[in-house]
Amino acid sequence: MAPMTLHPDSLAVHAGREDLAGLGVHALPLDLSSTNPLPGLELGGLSYEVLATGGHPFEGGSHVYARLWNPTVARFEEALARLEHAEEAVAFSSGMAAVTAVLLALTHDSGHRHVVAVRPLYGGTDHLLASGLLGVETTFCRPDEVAGALRPDTALVVLETPANPTLELVDIAAIVSAAGDVPVLVDNTFATPLLQQPLELGAALSLHSATKYLGGHGDVVGGVVACDARLAASLRRTRAITGALLHPLAAYLIHRGLATLPIRMRAQQANARAVAEWLTTREEVSRVHFPGFAECDSLGLVGTQQAGPGAMIAIELAGGFAAAASLVGSVELFTHAVSLGSVDSLIQHPAALTHRPVASAAKPSDALVRLSIGLEDPADLIADLGRALSARAEVREHADSSLG
Ligand SMILES: *Cc1c(COP(=O)(O)O)cnc(C)c1O
């Protein structure tokens, strides 16, 4: 088999599984060992040394201890790296653990503590950067302000596209060019490697909350970063030292999820387009943010930088916060819950939840509601939203008439 010529749909099914037939198994082997037998003190010690400094296992050595290496996790990492067109990938216990490891590794390796962060970002990432918890000093800016925000001691530029929660698209190549020699981290969670490969556009690192589309079924938490071999070694070293491991069972579930990622993404994206188009016809909705609409993609990035619009929608309610609160409380088929990218549709209010810790100047509007569109029939999703939006209208009419 010539792996590099496989279509992404085939890669998603086969990557990280190439040796299974030779092992005589069909499903991904799940290795739950917390510790591993040592071949002897000398080779055991050498294995420890190699793995704790971010290297790969060697023939005749040992994996030593689960914090240093796990084969089930390594399979998932290999598969994700292939989909991202990266040399390697390193998995973590959550998306935030992955962000934390990138910040620790890059500030340590460069000896610099300054980060430029393009807003908007996921609320947790914004919170971590603003908190100063890791000793990192952050300058937040808009996409066109990156060059001016750089300092001689800038270790990293962070961006997200489509960005959480407004689905704003950021031109990755333009930011890479503005960043010069400074490495750029792209949070690729919303697009997934099926729609977008940031490393092809010059980014140094592509990060995912694997909790979302990669896992895809709302039953696993994880994070992963795709990058070159040098950065991967630094991230593995950081993971070995700080311990934010992806559990092998979680890696198994996320890897299993990868096989259906292309077909899920295409179906969810088509559903999202249908729902987004219908939402534009509703008078209760003052604005629909969906990257598939030309007015939401002024840089023309859908079809070039990113292969499709994705399956996330954000809407602003004409009735403001009260209407937004009523909508999230009135849906029945949608689940009112944070997170996204699952097979089922979710709805949430970013200002009150995922973006609650964000500074008020950068907080999303309290009229904004975010929808993650799943695999249900789009007509059922539309009917649910229609009922929930009219429930609000009835409340308002009732209130108006009782006032009258
Ligand atoms: C959820 C999310 C994260 C954080 O991931 P966790 O797995 O929840 O730690 C980071 N970035 C984006 C865009 C997210 O949606």
Side-chain angles (χ1 to χ4, degrees), residues 27-33 70 72 247-252:
L28 295 164
L30 174 56
D31 183 342
L32 293 171
S33 308
N70 176 275
T72 304
H247 190 274
L249 183 54
Y252 172 91

Side-chain angles (χ1 to χ4, degrees), residues 94-97 99 122 125 160 164 187 189-190 207 209-212 221-223 340 370:
S94 69
M96 289 316 300
V99 176
Y122 171 65
T125 308
E160 199 172 293
N164 198 343
D187 187 326
T189 300
F190 276 32
L207 179 145
S209 167
T211 315
K212 315 295 169 55
V221 175
L340 60 112
R370 194 189 73 187

Side-chain angles (χ1 to χ4, degrees), residues 29-384:
L30 174 56
D31 183 342
L32 293 171
S33 308
S34 63
T35 191
N36 302 89
L38 301 166
L41 188 52
E42 197 176 332
L43 277 178
L46 184 61
S47 299
Y48 184 102
E49 180 69 27
V50 168
L51 296 174
T53 51
H56 291 265
F58 57 86
E59 194 63 38
S62 168
H63 298 148
V64 185
Y65 187 59
R67 185 149 45 72
L68 304 183
W69 192 270
N70 176 275
T72 304
V73 175
R75 276 181 188 284
F76 159 62
E77 292 171 334
E78 191 189 321
L80 195 275
R82 294 277 296 285
L83 290 172
E84 283 277 0
H85 303 177
E87 286 175 5
E88 297 193 2
V90 186
F92 296 90
S93 50
S94 69
M96 289 316 300
V99 176
T100 299
V102 169
L103 292 171
L104 289 174
L106 271 82
T107 53
H108 178 269
D109 293 353
S110 66
H112 294 155
R113 313 219 63 78
H114 181 244
V115 172
V116 172
V118 179
R119 269 176 171 155
L121 289 169
Y122 171 65
T125 308
D126 194 294
H127 190 201
L128 176 63
L129 288 165
S131 71
L133 191 63
L134 302 174
V136 172
E137 194 188 325
T138 303
T139 301
F140 290 100
C141 69
R142 298 284 306 149
D144 57 355
E145 297 167 344
V146 168
L150 293 173
R151 303 194 322 211
D153 65 339
T154 305
L156 181 69
V157 174
V158 179
L159 74 95
E160 199 172 293
T161 180
N164 198 343
T166 51
L167 308 175
E168 199 174 304
L169 302 184
V170 179
D171 185 337
I172 297 171
I175 303 287
V176 167
S177 154
D181 293 339
V182 178
V184 174
L185 166 71
V186 176
D187 187 326
N188 203 23
T189 300
F190 276 32
T192 83
L194 265 300
L195 298 183
Q196 177 168 278
Q197 295 95 29
L199 271 56
E200 296 284 0
L201 302 164
L205 307 116
S206 174
L207 179 145
H208 295 272
S209 167
T211 315
K212 315 295 169 55
Y213 287 103
L214 302 188
H217 295 73
D219 56 4
V220 58
V221 175
V224 64
V225 183
C227 54
D228 68 14
R230 184 185 58 86
L231 286 168
S234 181
L235 289 172
R236 276 192 298 271
R237 173 179 171 275
T238 306
R239 182 178 66 182
I241 295 173
T242 61
L245 308 175
L246 184 64
H247 190 274
L249 183 54
Y252 172 91
L253 288 170
I254 300 166
H255 198 164
R256 191 171 70 161
L258 285 186
T260 54
L261 177 61
I263 196 168
R264 279 189 280 117
M265 202 60 204
R266 281 194 291 270
Q268 289 178 229
Q269 190 169 251
N271 286 353
R273 182 177 288 282
V275 172
E277 279 170 2
W278 174 81
L279 283 164
T280 62
T281 67
R282 296 293 301 211
E283 61 174 15
E284 300 94 334
V285 178
S286 57
R287 194 161 169 206
V288 181
H289 302 261
F290 178 63
F293 295 157
E295 64 271 24
C296 300
D297 180 23
S298 57
L299 302 172
L301 296 171
V302 174
T304 54
Q305 168 171 295
Q306 112 180 32
M312 298 296 296
I313 303 170
I315 56 175
E316 287 170 43
L317 281 299
F321 175 76
S326 162
L327 174 63
V328 298
S330 306
V331 288
E332 289 170 14
L333 187 58
F334 277 79
T335 298
H336 179 200
V338 301
S339 198
L340 60 112
S342 183
V343 289
D344 58 317
S345 295
L346 306 177
I347 189 166
Q348 71 112 1
H349 187 275
L353 291 154
T354 51
H355 291 68
R356 194 178 187 96
V358 175
S360 51
K363 216 194 266 294
S365 157
D366 70 2
L368 188 88
V369 168
R370 194 189 73 187
L371 297 87
S372 170
I373 304 300
L375 289 172
E376 301 91 340
D377 186 89
D380 288 337
L381 294 173
I382 286 170
D384 190 37

